[in-house]
Amino acid sequence: MDVASGNERGTTERVLTLLGLLQQRQVWTGPELADRLGVTPRTVRRDVERLRTLGYPVHASQGVGGGYQLGAGQDLPPLLLDDQEAIATAVSLLAGAGGAVAGAGDAALRALTKLDQVMPTRLRHEVRALSGSVESFGGGRTPVDPGVLMTLARACRDEAEAGFDYPSGSEVRRRRVEPYRLVASDRRWYLLAYDLDRDDWRSFRVDRMTDASARTWRFSPRAAPDAATYVQESVASRVYPHQARFLVHASADTVRAQIPASAAVVRRRGSELCEVLSGAASLDFVLMHVLLLGHDFEVIDPPELGRRCRALAEKLLSAGATISPVSDVEES
């Protein structure tokens, strides 16, 4: 290495060390920083200017209690984390991706993917060990292997083919896919991917996957359906043997508040109308749930469900007509 390149690397390392120090404590005096860095106060001032040029708002104040302070800027600058901070951040993000923080799953997974890309191998082992000791209760998502989640997230980001073992009936088969998006529902993580063996789009439950891996083979992205919509429709209707559509006389917001997103798709059809798409093992089961919403509704599809409504209505009318009035008898 020549002297010029050696000096440049030394300056870069020193400036990064200075940035790390400024992120550790609110205020540093010039002499304190000079002592930590092993340079003169004049060099500290030059390095502070270098950070300002890079967009870090470093403030300087005089007098007692004054010194150098890293302030808030227009954009979030890169953060320097030590080993303990990186581990704590990664475990917290895993908890967020797992559903411990409402609505934070997608953002937590994106941040975790970025952190994982630059995290040393020794820290990955510690993160995995710590994440395995964290549990939750209540309405959280079904637990998933963090390694599988990270493998799929990287494959989506890098547009690389992926493979995993997945149950199909009584068998477990290897699936080869072009991963497109990870989708978080209120209960589970799903992968929307193009299934290369079935030549079609599919959604997969991440908690059912094993032995997930990403290949170095890159693919050109296809025209894809909207990931969240596709997965929701798959979960709410396509996986069931019977599907039904209803026109409900209530606003979409009102009905969405009554039905979990994993149980039905609710589409707006005006200010006081919405369409509900759902599935179940039997049409009677779907009909019962829509009836219990308490709103007027009409059957759109399938036709036999309309006939079933009339048959059930006749039975209910007949049951109501046969009730005998019971007089109150005063017990002696």
Side-chain angles (χ1 to χ4, degrees):
M1 178 187 299
D2 58 33
V3 176
S5 59
N7 290 340
E8 183 179 348
R9 188 180 72 173
T11 301
T12 301
E13 292 175 350
R14 190 179 65 247
V15 171
L16 288 174
T17 302
L18 172 61
L19 176 59
L21 291 171
L22 291 172
Q23 291 178 345
Q24 287 178 14
R25 206 167 84 185
Q26 187 172 9
V27 179
W28 291 85
T29 66
E32 285 176 329
L33 291 173
D35 182 63
R36 286 293 192 101
L37 298 172
V39 297
T40 65
R42 181 180 179 184
T43 301
V44 171
R45 289 194 295 271
R46 285 201 298 261
D47 288 347
V48 166
E49 286 302 321
R50 291 186 175 99
L51 286 176
R52 289 169 175 163
T53 302
L54 293 172
Y56 293 92
V58 182
H59 306 305
S61 56
Q62 303 294 327
V64 178
Y68 293 104
Q69 180 180 12
L70 185 63
Q74 295 278 341
D75 302 307
L76 179 67
L79 300 176
L80 294 181
L81 305 175
D82 60 27
D83 285 6
Q84 289 75 25
E85 292 168 340
I87 291 171
T89 300
V91 171
S92 298
L93 289 171
L94 279 170
V101 181
D106 294 332
L109 184 58
R110 290 197 303 271
L112 185 60
T113 304
K114 294 177 182 178
L115 184 59
D116 179 76
Q117 186 175 6
V118 297
M119 185 178 291
T121 303
R122 69 179 188 280
L123 299 187
R124 287 198 182 100
H125 295 321
E126 293 195 45
V127 169
R128 180 176 290 273
L130 278 175
S131 64
S133 65
V134 177
E135 304 244 355
S136 62
F137 65 90
R141 294 194 185 107
T142 301
V144 297
D145 183 343
V148 173
L149 201 60
M150 290 304 306
T151 296
L152 297 174
R154 286 194 296 267
C156 291
R157 179 197 63 195
D158 299 336
E159 296 175 349
E161 287 186 13
F164 47 84
D165 293 337
Y166 199 78
S168 177
S170 59
E171 299 179 314
V172 175
R173 298 179 180 177
R174 191 69 179 172
R175 310 297 285 266
R176 298 183 310 113
V177 301
E178 294 176 354
Y180 179 63
R181 288 287 188 277
L182 281 163
V183 178
S185 76
D186 54 346
R187 297 171 58 193
R188 299 184 178 94
W189 278 101
Y190 296 88
L191 173 70
L192 173 63
Y194 192 85
D195 193 317
L196 294 171
D197 295 321
R198 289 160 177 75
D199 197 27
D200 199 3
W201 292 96
R202 292 287 190 274
S203 61
F204 302 92
R205 277 177 51 175
V206 176
D207 60 290
R208 290 182 174 176
M209 298 178 184
T210 53
D211 194 23
S213 62
R215 301 178 58 190
T216 56
W217 182 262
R218 303 284 296 275
F219 62 86
S220 298
R222 305 169 187 265
D226 179 78
T229 300
Y230 184 94
V231 171
Q232 187 191 10
E233 290 182 356
S234 296
V235 172
S237 64
R238 281 196 290 263
V239 296
Y240 295 102
H242 299 283
Q243 294 85 39
R245 288 193 302 142
F246 304 88
L247 183 66
V248 178
H249 292 241
S251 69
D253 291 339
T254 298
V255 175
R256 287 191 185 111
Q258 295 179 279
I259 306 178
S262 57
V265 178
V266 180
R267 301 189 179 110
R268 188 179 303 276
R269 288 290 182 266
S271 61
E272 294 301 325
L273 289 174
C274 65
E275 181 182 318
V276 174
L277 170 65
S278 187
S282 73
L283 289 175
D284 283 358
F285 190 81
V286 182
L287 184 60
M288 177 190 70
H289 277 273
V290 175
L291 179 64
L292 291 177
L293 292 177
H295 310 297
D296 292 339
F297 67 93
E298 303 162 28
V299 174
I300 299 176
D301 196 56
E304 60 267 27
L305 187 56
R307 294 190 290 272
R308 183 61 179 161
C309 283
R310 288 189 290 273
L312 289 175
E314 291 174 0
K315 287 185 177 181
L316 289 171
L317 287 172
S318 175
T322 58
I323 296 177
S324 301
V326 178
S327 58
D328 293 333
V329 177
E330 189 174 310
E331 295 184 2
S332 58

